[in-house]
Amino acid sequence: MSKVLNLKHDPAGRRRVPEKYTPISKTRVKKLLAQEWARFQSTTTNSATHNKRASKVLPLGVTSSFQHWNPYPISIVSAKGAYFKDVDGRKLLDLSMGFGAMMVGHLNKDVVKAVKKAMRSVGTLFVTPGPLATEAAERFQKRFDIDMLRFTNSGTESTMYAIRAARAATGKKAIIKIEGGYHGGYDPLQVSVKAPLEKIGSASAPKPYHPGAIEAGEVYVVSYNDTVRLEAIMKNHGKTIAAFMIEPIVENLSIILPDEGYLKAVRELCDKYKIALIFDEVKTGLTAGVAGAAIRVGVKPDLITLAKSIGGGLPLAAFGGKKEFMQPVVDGRMPHLGTYNGNPLVVAAAIAVDKIATPEALEKAEAINNATLDAIDKIIDEYALPAHTVGFGVKGAVIWSPTPVRNYRDFKATDFELAELSWLWGLNRGIITPPGLDEQWLVSFAHTQNDMNKLVRSFREFAKAIRG
Amino acid sequence: MNAPMRFGLIGTGRIGQVHASSVARTEGAELTMVADVFVEGAKKTAEQYGGVATAEAMDCFDSSKVDAIIVASPTPTHLDLISAAIDANIPILCEKPIDLDIKRVDAMRDKAAKATIPIVLGFNRRFDPHFNSVHQRVQAGEIGKLEQLVLISRDPAPASKEYLAVSGGIYRDMTIHDFDMGRFFVPNIVSVTANGFNQFSSEIKDLGDYDATSVTLRGANDELVLITNSRHAIYGFDQRMEAFGDKGMLRVENLTNTNVRLYNESSAEVKEPYQNFFLERYMDSYLLELAEFMKKVRGEASNSPEFEDGRAALVLANAALESSQTGKTVSVSL
């Protein structure tokens, strides 16, 4: 293990593990969990009532299964800047920010202005080309250094079409994905997302896990940060593999940073075995830096998928990449279709986001994120917590493990009870982080250091509470 | 790089001015709202130290305008403003005393305990560099086990009759600082024995109050805290402390503005008079108090006294009054 722990991460990210730690009493965590769940239920009675009503029409009472947790999620009536108002009349600091989609802040005035203008004088849908969509595409082409791109309505569509483009361009069908990686709802990408450990074999040779309802085709899975297994798969099956789909920085298992040199090695292997490298930047994108994660880590993929942060909160996504990989869309080998693709409202928002997301604005948010991570590191040291922090761009996370997490198996070995308690603790104190324990916080353009201080204060109280 | 912490100040009287000045002098802090029912006072303070003046305290409870609130308004407003801060989720530094009525304080106790914001009480003397140094050295074990703490606090002269009439009496107005200082060193006090005296002021006597007092606090481990107060001292503001332990003693003497000594035909080593009153003697402590509060707001380690400390001081003040009136030792449970 010592060899693994000594590995350096990509310098574009930030990770700090504690030098010393002592375990937290399991009994105490269980007691606090019971106490905090009771507090949750006593302060969110309107959310409970709302969930009962919603569950009669919407499965689980939510519009996306991610939104649900037991016994019921908090229901939100409005959002502005960095804050939510819930059905119980509470003002809550939103650190989830639509999984990154709200990077410019809720109801950002420039985005609202652009969309209002489009609604007033442009239109909502043409199903024809138009200069607004072209302008948005040109801006992203330049910003992300990609040859061509197409707009879609969601990350799922983008990853699906990126796979198809890769298949059409390479003439092969199979894919490789990262174990534990999430890339939306397309069937092959649903393999080994939240795979049960007892069904997936060893970490060095993970077995693909196919959930019941999907029809995935030929899918290989590999641990993140493992180039040995990756090369073995490519060597043995490269002739049938069209693409390797990977988040350059894994942001669906909290935040996992690439080892130093990992992504460059991945690039070389893909080149060697003529496999398309697809960077899923749905979650990273602008949150990772002014031109996304790919440029920040200095590795150019063949195809890239974008969503969330580029749309200012509107349903906008995109896929694009090198000319030869987008050529199948041009020559009809892989038609890309969609009534609402690049409609005037979403592209108006996208143009506004492109204007707002300046290097200065992103640097400012990243500085706030880093100061927040520094402050939390101090608390981790002070209370000798078995936890560490990871940050990339404007996102950050506390991981309840005293040692670095480099892949899905490491992530599964973190302390989920402490993670749940930490999340619930914040929730009961007016701080919403995403419902899944595998998510991270986001410092949007609307968050100030003073807003983030609330998270730090809450974390200090939490540290005190779990130490007893 | 980071945006400054924005403060709203409620109350612009004598202590309000001290806080406004502290905010203005502190890096990373700025005054953005100033409220006083006497709006001219708010305007004048805002002109001098910054911020928007208003006559309405509730204007300060807006997180788009302020990140923290300092309350320096009259005592009867304190609890309501703490409650409003909790509702608005804005950290608050509230002047002492927390209130004069323990029933009102207890009615708020549960809400304060559940609050997610820092509620800090303005016991500035904890941050006086001299007293704080004694505290740190006691904690470090320099005098061994603390056995006795002697606190002498004498004001240069009584406040105005109008102020004294609404002050809550010597224990809740003046000794309250010493009760907190006692608890700073000996948090768990179990009993209070007090004697009130009327030695020089018929005005104070007419108000049913005392002009001097001696109070003995007993700690849970049999520590002795001895407090002596007088509402007057001809030689200036008398603020001394002795911490006595089995391995030694630490002592704080009164301060003068300079270290100059006079030597002449009638005397030698003559110092100038002591610093006149709290504004001079404790100016540094207000700045340090603010810095500690800001640490708390930022989520850093902080020793700011909190709601429960404010309540404890009032419980001790009430017990001291009861003891003075009955001649009996009063047990307390903090």
Side-chain angles (χ1 to χ4, degrees):
Chain A
M1 282 303 279
S2 61
K3 190 182 151 205
V4 166
L5 296 183
N6 287 335
L7 279 173
K8 284 184 184 166
H9 60 76
D10 191 292
R14 179 195 190 289
R15 178 168 67 205
R16 186 181 170 283
V17 292
E19 283 177 15
K20 287 182 205 158
Y21 71 95
T22 50
I24 305 289
S25 150
K26 292 262 175 210
T27 325
R28 183 154 191 87
V29 171
K30 283 194 194 327
K31 192 180 141 202
L32 284 170
L33 264 173
Q35 178 190 304
E36 289 299 317
W37 275 119
R39 179 169 169 157
F40 173 81
Q41 294 197 330
S42 69
T43 51
T44 54
T45 48
N46 290 350
S47 277
T49 309
H50 178 249
N51 186 252
K52 263 188 200 155
R53 173 188 154 204
S55 298
K56 288 178 187 158
V57 56
L58 298 159
L60 299 171
V62 296
T63 54
S64 162
S65 293
F66 273 131
Q67 297 171 6
H68 184 263
W69 71 73
N70 280 323
Y72 53 83
I74 288 176
S75 295
I76 301 300
V77 286
S78 63
K80 191 164 187 208
Y83 288 87
F84 275 147
K85 200 173 147 198
D86 75 357
V87 290
D88 287 280
R90 303 178 309 164
K91 191 178 167 190
L92 306 161
L93 177 67
D94 182 11
L95 288 180
S96 171
M97 299 304 283
F99 299 120
M102 301 312 312
M103 196 200 68
V104 294
H106 292 290
L107 294 180
N108 177 286
K109 66 175 173 41
D110 295 314
V111 172
V112 169
K113 201 172 149 192
V115 175
K116 269 187 177 170
K117 191 180 164 196
M119 287 195 82
R120 205 170 43 237
S121 57
V122 180
T124 55
L125 189 64
F126 308 145
V127 294
T128 73
L132 265 187
T134 303
E135 183 188 338
E138 285 165 349
R139 284 175 174 271
F140 288 155
Q141 177 191 46
K142 191 175 165 203
R143 181 185 277 266
F144 295 103
D145 188 27
I146 41 185
D147 295 340
M148 298 187 100
L149 66 141
R150 272 282 180 89
F151 291 117
T152 70
N153 305 292
S154 70
T156 290
E157 281 179 62
S158 290
T159 51
M160 178 179 80
Y161 277 113
I163 295 276
R164 283 194 190 151
R167 283 174 174 163
T170 61
K172 301 186 277 184
K173 288 284 170 65
I175 64 159
I176 313 175
K177 75 176 284 290
I178 293 293
E179 187 178 54
Y182 173 78
H183 308 278
Y186 182 41
D187 282 30
L189 297 171
Q190 280 286 297
V191 172
S192 293
V193 173
K194 289 275 167 74
L197 286 176
E198 66 276 12
K199 297 196 171 166
I200 53 176
S202 70
S204 56
K207 275 166 54 185
Y209 174 74
H210 292 242
I214 66 149
E215 186 58 58
E218 193 182 346
V219 179
Y220 299 93
V221 295
V222 61
S223 283
Y224 187 68
N225 279 323
D226 180 356
T227 50
V228 176
R229 177 69 184 165
L230 184 66
E231 174 145 32
I233 294 171
M234 288 182 172
K235 202 172 171 183
N236 292 330
H237 307 283
K239 284 184 182 146
T240 62
I241 297 169
F244 178 29
M245 169 74 82
I246 180 174
E247 282 187 284
I249 287 79
V250 179
E251 293 192 349
N252 283 293
L253 299 170
S254 192
I255 300 174
I256 305 182
L257 301 177
D259 291 345
E260 195 170 29
Y262 169 67
L263 293 171
K264 280 194 176 67
V266 164
R267 175 70 274 179
E268 284 164 16
L269 287 172
C270 286
D271 289 342
K272 186 174 168 186
Y273 292 96
K274 301 195 175 3
I275 290 167
L277 175 60
I278 307 173
F279 273 1
D280 178 3
E281 291 225 39
V282 166
K283 291 205 75 183
T284 48
L286 294 175
T287 74
V290 73
I295 287 178
R296 191 141 186 194
V297 299
V299 175
K300 199 175 169 77
D302 298 310
L303 286 158
I304 186 170
T305 59
L306 295 161
K308 302 194 199 301
S309 60
I310 60 167
L314 277 83
L316 174 72
F319 72 100
K322 294 177 183 167
K323 216 168 185 174
E324 62 265 39
F325 288 89
M326 293 302 281
Q327 185 59 27
V329 188
V330 178
D331 62 29
R333 281 177 289 154
M334 198 284 288
H336 165 241
L337 314 160
T339 300
Y340 298 103
N341 292 349
N343 67 72
L345 298 189
V346 296
V347 293
I351 292 167
V353 169
D354 186 63
K355 288 178 184 168
I356 306 161
T358 60
E360 295 74 30
L362 280 159
E363 277 163 23
K364 191 178 157 202
E366 189 166 331
I368 292 174
N369 188 38
N370 286 335
T372 305
L373 288 160
D374 285 344
I376 287 178
D377 283 336
K378 278 187 194 152
I379 298 168
I380 288 173
D381 286 350
E382 202 179 321
Y383 289 88
L385 301 179
H388 71 276
T389 58
V390 182
F392 201 98
V394 299
K395 288 184 170 186
V398 171
I399 296 177
W400 290 95
S401 157
T403 50
V405 167
R406 296 177 52 252
N407 53 43
Y408 179 65
R409 309 290 173 120
D410 290 349
F411 175 73
K412 289 295 276 183
T414 64
D415 192 325
F416 278 75
E417 270 198 332
L418 266 172
E420 179 188 338
L421 182 58
S422 169
W423 163 78
L424 181 60
W425 183 274
L427 200 61
N428 280 338
R429 285 151 189 83
I431 298 168
I432 291 203
T433 42
L437 302 179
D438 39 15
E439 291 291 333
Q440 60 288 132
W441 70 70
L442 175 125
V443 179
S444 81
F445 293 173
H447 289 77
T448 65
Q449 185 64 58
N450 290 309
D451 292 322
M452 295 308 289
N453 286 342
K454 290 177 185 170
L455 174 71
V456 180
R457 287 203 303 265
S458 164
F459 191 77
R460 172 171 291 282
E461 292 301 315
F462 177 66
K464 214 187 282 177
I466 55 177
R467 275 288 171 228
Chain B
M1 173 71 79
N2 286 330
M5 198 177 286
R6 301 163 303 165
F7 281 88
L9 173 67
I10 301 172
T12 59
R14 188 168 58 172
I15 194 67
Q17 295 300 313
V18 173
H19 288 301
S21 151
S22 294
V23 171
R25 288 161 62 198
T26 298
E27 203 179 327
E30 69 172 344
L31 201 56
T32 52
M33 292 296 293
V34 183
D36 199 313
V37 283
F38 171 61
V39 74
E40 287 308 314
K43 280 181 186 163
K44 210 172 147 192
T45 308
E47 269 167 31
Q48 191 173 351
Y49 299 106
V52 175
T54 171
E56 181 48 64
M58 291 315 290
D59 289 350
C60 293
F61 294 88
D62 178 347
S63 58
S64 68
K65 295 175 183 159
V66 305
D67 302 303
I69 284 169
I70 299 176
V71 170
S73 51
T75 302
T77 64
H78 289 180
L79 279 177
D80 289 343
L81 294 172
I82 289 172
S83 180
I86 296 170
D87 293 342
N89 201 20
I90 300 175
I92 186 167
L93 164 63
C94 181
E95 262 307 321
K96 62 85 208 169
I98 192 163
D99 197 82
L100 298 178
D101 182 352
I102 192 67
K103 282 186 196 141
R104 274 168 49 83
V105 176
D106 283 345
M108 178 75 85
R109 201 177 181 192
D110 189 46
K111 182 172 179 176
K114 284 186 181 149
T116 58
I117 51 155
I119 303 169
V120 166
L121 264 288
F123 289 117
N124 59 300
R125 293 187 191 180
R126 290 189 184 210
F127 304 104
D128 171 72
H130 310 277
F131 296 152
N132 200 274
S133 166
V134 173
H135 185 260
Q136 282 181 24
R137 293 173 74 167
V138 168
Q139 297 289 312
E142 271 193 55
I143 59 163
K145 180 173 162 283
L146 179 70
E147 294 175 357
Q148 301 182 356
L149 183 74
V150 180
L151 304 172
I152 297 170
S153 301
R154 297 186 182 109
D155 285 353
S160 68
K161 194 178 175 184
E162 292 72 27
Y163 175 82
L164 289 169
V166 296
S167 70
I170 190 167
Y171 293 117
R172 286 181 286 228
D173 177 54
M174 182 178 171
T175 326
I176 197 99
H177 276 297
D178 302 294
F179 291 131
D180 183 67
M181 188 58 77
R183 283 198 63 253
F184 189 34
F185 285 82
V186 185
N188 197 1
I189 302 291
V190 294
S191 74
V192 182
T193 313
N195 281 291
F197 301 89
N198 291 104
Q199 297 176 325
F200 66 90
S201 169
S202 56
E203 269 187 359
I204 292 176
K205 190 175 184 182
D206 291 347
L207 289 167
D209 194 5
Y210 306 113
D211 56 30
T213 182
S214 78
V215 184
T216 304
L217 306 177
R218 185 185 289 269
N221 298 314
D222 244 15
E223 303 96 333
L224 161 66
V225 179
L226 187 63
I227 301 167
T228 305
N229 281 175
S230 175
R231 285 282 196 186
H232 76 170
I234 193 77
Y235 47 86
F237 196 29
D238 192 3
Q239 298 285 293
R240 285 174 286 155
M241 168 190 285
E242 265 181 23
F244 170 83
D246 59 341
K247 295 206 167 62
M249 180 174 78
L250 290 156
R251 194 156 87 174
V252 179
E253 292 292 347
N254 281 315
L255 302 184
T256 52
N257 281 330
T258 74
N259 196 25
V260 176
R261 300 282 187 276
L262 171 70
Y263 300 76
N264 62 17
E265 62 181 4
S266 59
S267 52
E269 293 188 22
V270 176
K271 296 179 186 176
E272 58 194 275
Y274 296 135
Q275 286 177 331
N276 185 45
F277 202 21
F278 72 96
L279 290 182
E280 292 83 356
R281 174 63 183 80
Y282 289 118
M283 192 48 90
D284 287 349
S285 74
Y286 288 105
L287 266 178
L288 294 165
E289 173 187 65
L290 179 68
E292 201 70 10
F293 175 57
M294 287 171 69
K295 277 197 213 166
K296 197 156 192 87
V297 173
R298 286 195 294 260
E300 297 168 13
S302 161
N303 293 315
S304 293
E306 299 181 272
F307 185 93
E308 282 298 314
D309 297 305
R311 179 185 175 274
L314 182 60
V315 169
L316 296 180
N318 287 346
L321 182 61
E322 185 186 335
S323 175
S324 299
Q325 289 167 346
T326 62
K328 290 179 182 166
T329 295
V330 177
S331 295
V332 290
S333 173
L334 302 177

